[in-house]
Amino acid sequence: MARKGECCGLSSLEVLLAVLFLSMTGVSVGLIAVMAVGWNATSPEAPKPTSGPTQGPPENHFLVGVGRADCTGPVGDVPLMGYANLDQTAGGIHFRLYSRAFIVDDGSKRVVFVTADIGMVSQRLRLEVLRALQEKYGDLYRQDNVILSGTHTHSGLAGYFQYTLFMITSKGYIKSSIEPIVNGIVKSIDNAHKSLRPGRIFVGRGELEESNLNRSPQSYLNNPEEERRRYTSNTDKQVVMLKFTDLDGDGLGMLSWFAVHPVSMNYTNQMVSGDNLGYASYLFEQEKNINALPGEGSFVAAFASSNLGDVSPNTMGPYCVNTWEKCDYLNSSCPIGGTKMCVGFGPGKDMFESTRIIGENIYKKSKELYGNAKQELRGSVHFAHQWVNMTDVTVQINSTHTAKTCKPALGHSFAAGTTDGGGDLNFTQGAVEGDPFWDGIRDALLGEPSNETQDCHEPKPILFNTGEMNWPLPWHPQIVDVQIITIGSVAIVATPGEPTTMAGRRMRDAIKQELEAQGGFSNTEVIIAGLCNIYTHYITTYEEYQVQRYEAASTIYGPHTLGAYLQHFRSLAKAIAEGKVAELPKGPEPPFFNESQLFSLLPAVPVDNAPVNTTFGDILEQVYPVYKVGEVASVTFVAGNPRNSGDMTDKTFITVEKFHNASQTWTAVHTDASWETRFHWLKGAGGQSNATVEWHIPPSAQTGTYRISHFGHYKRRINLINFKIIAYNGTSDAFQVTKAMAYWS
């Protein structure tokens, strides 16, 4: 993630917030720039042990299940997670967020892969999900056979972390934010569990062009030339797709991976959105679930993150927005305005069109692969998992030399952000030397990094020595999950962060080599799944680390981070290949801090007030009487704070309804989960707010009579200490949609 382009750099407002928060509690801290049982689908028994990696008889089939559930959460006031900009708080819905789960069982072992429309999976989120699964299913779904991955949309809600750095950039731990995500993930697994049936899985691969761009080509070029010559591009163009069917060949679901950042919706956006990968899911599911509203229907289509660390969807590249000249190549900055003015663009004219184009490209390629998939996966399911203390790993460089990982730290270029959104302060990418001004402030407020940490992170000039900052809680994690699951000849590697293009390629090569070394696996397809199980920022190659652009400055365990991960993933792969997973040490368990130790900086929801002579749900700006397809129908209501609506899971704040003359009834054709609608909530002064609903009428819209409705809740004071939450709704005038030109005065 960066700041204003990736999490988690911090804005100037965050600097002030951190200072105020830590100062008020007596600490002088200031600057912040910054998933096995038999064929009985309901059996809760533990998985039976397996003796080896045999891929099984060719005639066998799997038990498969797919599930989807809403995980949107409160869409007002809560910060969005990704750009680390506290001014970017939720103010409505572009389209809803979903968790999508896939369960595969080979008759003796079971694995689960979940991808959710969220920024990333935090350690706290994973631990809460695992606790909920244990309470419901016992030892059926556990840390070793469940992978949780985030799509990395930067327009999902924040507030689900337990480490200080992330809490500061999220206004703390927000219970109303994390609960819908936990519940959504668990429900998606529930739905997949209930849908388990004998089925088949096919794999497809293809290349997708003009849909991603390397935003740090300078760093990529620092990788060995011989290595770079093996590839035709500095980004991975490969789309890998798994097709799930029943035994009759009827489609159940689709799971796809493609390396691109979901930052088509930029840091000015304040609507909750699944971004480009979420839109790809929307398109696929709408096509398969005929006549169903978004989020409904049995077919589940998921588009998951991969090695996207240095990969942008802004395919036109970065320009200086104040002069429209190319940015400085080395530092991604502009002569006037610095890194803030250097912004990546394209491929569309605005963020909505760019989201549509990239999402549509990914959807179309995956649809093509789905239709043509003939290679069937057969064999067994395996899984391996360990917890690792990433601050103390000895990495074997060669036969005579070793190196160590480091305590977490963020470099100066972390504060510069990326071309998907630069930082507010005068930091630039590629900084290999500190700045006396900022270093002085750091030393005065946070303390100087120890010589050991500085030497370990060389050549990174340390801005935040987070591994040495533990108040009120550790600022960064030490204990990290490493995990691999295999389904036949496919291996899914759960990476706990954002690997760059080349880092992901090295992971694939190493794990494939280790799995195939014993002869139990062949023609293995290794998939890098990003943003899994815990967030640890970025994973660059050693060579990219030397350049110290944003991704390297955010590789928190030092220059040998990738080497450490390669070592541990190789160990997991070897254990799977040799049938010795049971011999793997479990590793040190991560902390689960008490809620009393976590803090929240999100104020309580104030009382709602309506303007004089109005009530909630009243129309402030009415629709026009007639619209032509392609136009935007818009209506504005007197509204309450969306947070007062509580859990709106599987519900909607808005509907677009069509009148049926034959039955004299209204039927919802769109909700706030639809791409065609936009729900804007605008917070005003004195507890007043309004909601504008837009319907971007698609060419496919039928002519006829329509209306738009808004549903919400407002908070009313009963007396000095008591409040009441009251439901309201409002409906626009009926209007006509026609294929012909509309005229009105």
Side-chain angles (χ1 to χ4, degrees), residues 425-730:
L425 304 172
N426 64 330
F427 292 90
T428 59
Q429 296 201 64
V432 292
E433 294 182 358
D435 180 282
F437 175 77
W438 293 114
D439 287 348
I441 294 177
R442 175 204 63 197
D443 294 348
L445 297 176
L446 304 175
E448 186 177 359
S450 67
N451 289 335
E452 177 188 6
T453 298
Q454 292 188 79
D455 291 344
C456 188
H457 279 272
E458 187 72 27
K460 176 194 292 178
I462 295 175
L463 183 62
F464 298 115
N465 54 321
T466 53
E468 298 173 348
M469 298 162 64
N470 296 296
W471 191 91
L473 290 168
W475 282 52
H476 265 144
Q478 292 186 345
I479 311 304
V480 175
D481 298 69
V482 291
Q483 186 178 17
I484 298 176
I485 65 174
T486 66
I487 305 168
S489 60
V490 166
I492 302 174
V493 183
T495 56
E498 304 180 54
T500 60
T501 299
M502 194 63 84
R505 288 169 174 171
R506 291 186 189 177
M507 286 183 182
R508 279 197 293 264
D509 288 348
I511 294 163
K512 178 180 176 68
Q513 181 183 56
E514 203 68 58
L515 286 172
E516 296 181 354
Q518 305 301 317
F521 286 79
S522 62
N523 299 316
T524 311
E525 182 73 52
V526 179
I527 297 169
I528 302 301
L531 290 303
C532 293
N533 299 335
I534 178 174
Y535 187 65
T536 62
H537 297 265
Y538 284 74
I539 305 168
T540 66
T541 68
Y542 176 86
E543 294 83 0
E544 291 165 347
Y545 190 91
Q546 308 308 308
V547 182
Q548 279 298 301
R549 282 177 61 82
Y550 173 82
E551 295 83 9
S554 305
T555 297
I556 62 174
Y557 301 114
H560 299 286
T561 297
L562 175 60
Y565 282 128
L566 288 174
Q567 200 164 277
H568 281 288
F569 282 126
R570 276 184 173 274
S571 177
L572 298 185
K574 183 177 181 180
I576 290 174
E578 296 179 349
K580 297 180 179 179
V581 172
E583 298 177 14
L584 287 171
K586 186 177 179 180
E589 292 197 26
F592 185 85
F593 301 120
N594 293 329
E595 281 192 32
S596 61
Q597 297 175 271
L598 308 177
F599 60 84
S600 176
L601 303 175
L602 183 68
V605 188
V607 171
D608 291 301
N609 292 305
V612 178
N613 297 323
T614 68
T615 189
F616 295 94
D618 282 357
I619 307 293
L620 294 175
E621 186 175 339
Q622 192 57 266
V623 294
Y624 290 127
V626 183
Y627 292 93
K628 178 179 178 289
V629 294
E631 294 182 332
V632 180
S634 178
V635 57
T636 300
F637 301 88
V638 176
N641 191 312
R643 287 170 63 197
N644 286 325
S645 292
D647 186 3
M648 287 291 286
T649 300
D650 298 322
K651 301 175 183 176
T652 183
F653 284 99
I654 66 170
T655 55
V656 177
E657 303 163 45
K658 187 179 187 300
F659 186 71
H660 298 274
N661 291 314
S663 61
Q664 294 290 291
T665 58
W666 294 92
T667 302
V669 294
H670 296 292
T671 66
D672 61 15
S674 300
W675 169 266
E676 295 84 357
T677 62
R678 296 175 193 172
F679 170 53
H680 300 271
W681 175 68
L682 181 62
K683 186 175 184 177
Q688 295 185 10
S689 60
N690 59 55
T692 297
V693 182
E694 295 178 357
W695 178 30
H696 293 247
I697 306 172
S700 60
Q702 298 177 356
T703 59
T705 303
Y706 292 83
R707 69 184 185 185
I708 297 173
S709 295
H710 163 51
F711 311 90
H713 297 76
Y714 66 92
K715 184 177 185 179
R716 187 177 73 183
R717 184 182 296 277
I718 303 301
N719 51 45
L720 287 175
I721 59 174
N722 295 312
F723 304 89
K724 186 176 183 180
I725 304 298
I726 303 170
Y728 71 88
N729 64 82

Side-chain angles (χ1 to χ4, degrees), residues 9 27-28 30 47-48 55 75 80 92 106 108-109 130 180 358 362 394 496 551 654 714 724:
V27 176
S28 180
K48 299 174 183 177
Q55 296 184 41
V75 298
L80 300 184
D106 67 0
S108 63
K109 297 179 299 300
L130 290 173
I358 297 299
I362 300 170
T394 299
E551 295 83 9
I654 66 170
Y714 66 92
K724 186 176 183 180

Side-chain angles (χ1 to χ4, degrees), residues 150-427:
T151 62
H152 204 37
T153 174
H154 284 42
S155 296
L157 299 175
Y160 54 93
F161 293 82
Q162 67 173 10
Y163 292 100
T164 301
L165 177 72
F166 304 123
M167 286 196 285
I168 289 177
T169 63
S170 304
K171 292 187 179 179
Y173 175 83
I174 303 173
K175 193 73 172 177
S176 62
S177 181
I178 190 172
E179 282 185 340
I181 304 175
V182 172
N183 294 340
I185 291 173
V186 172
K187 186 176 179 179
S188 69
I189 295 173
D190 287 342
N191 292 337
H193 181 90
K194 293 172 185 176
S195 77
L196 279 164
R197 70 195 71 181
R200 306 169 70 181
I201 307 172
F202 300 84
V203 61
R205 311 164 192 79
E207 299 289 312
L208 177 59
E209 299 291 341
E210 300 180 355
S211 297
N212 61 12
L213 180 82
N214 195 308
R215 69 188 186 191
S216 286
Q218 310 89 332
S219 299
Y220 181 89
L221 286 172
N222 210 45
N223 291 305
E225 182 179 0
E226 181 180 355
E227 182 179 37
R228 288 186 281 113
R229 283 179 181 168
R230 296 172 52 199
Y231 306 98
T232 59
S233 174
N234 60 8
T235 62
D236 279 345
K237 306 297 183 181
Q238 187 179 54
V239 178
V240 182
M241 182 277 319
L242 298 184
K243 174 181 180 178
F244 298 78
T245 76
D246 62 17
L247 295 183
D248 294 326
D250 293 328
L252 302 175
M254 188 280 314
L255 175 55
S256 176
W257 289 265
F258 177 65
V260 68
H261 255 87
V263 291
S264 293
M265 299 296 290
N266 64 43
Y267 63 86
T268 66
N269 170 55
Q270 292 193 288
M271 291 184 294
V272 168
S273 174
D275 211 284
N276 45 48
L277 294 183
Y279 183 53
S281 288
Y282 176 88
L283 289 171
F284 213 123
E285 290 181 346
Q286 285 298 102
E287 176 178 323
K288 291 294 183 179
N289 296 317
I290 300 171
N291 296 325
L293 289 169
E296 300 178 1
S298 62
F299 191 93
V300 177
F303 291 81
S305 60
S306 189
N307 52 321
L308 48 65
D310 51 357
V311 189
S312 171
N314 298 308
T315 54
M316 291 170 61
Y319 288 84
C320 295
V321 295
N322 49 0
T323 64
W324 295 110
E325 296 178 351
K326 281 281 190 178
C327 303
D328 174 77
Y329 176 76
L330 292 177
N331 298 315
S332 299
S333 62
C334 300
I336 302 173
T339 56
K340 180 72 174 179
M341 292 293 107
C342 180
V343 180
F345 286 92
K349 65 179 183 296
D350 59 30
M351 61 182 172
F352 298 100
E353 185 175 65
S354 291
T355 300
R356 179 188 62 76
I357 293 171
I358 297 299
E360 196 171 70
N361 289 350
I362 300 170
Y363 151 72
K364 286 180 176 179
K365 175 53 67 172
S366 294
K367 178 184 175 182
E368 173 192 319
L369 296 174
Y370 182 92
N372 296 329
K374 293 180 176 58
Q375 181 185 341
E376 184 171 1
L377 296 181
R378 300 181 183 275
S380 302
V381 162
H382 300 278
F383 49 82
H385 169 277
Q386 281 184 307
W387 284 303
V388 176
N389 183 348
M390 276 299 293
T391 70
D392 188 28
V393 178
T394 299
V395 181
Q396 193 74 41
I397 304 300
N398 53 43
S399 60
T400 59
H401 291 77
T402 62
K404 298 273 289 186
T405 54
C406 315
K407 292 180 180 180
L410 293 162
H412 276 245
S413 294
F414 161 75
T418 74
T419 57
D420 292 326
D424 289 317
L425 304 172
N426 64 330
F427 292 90

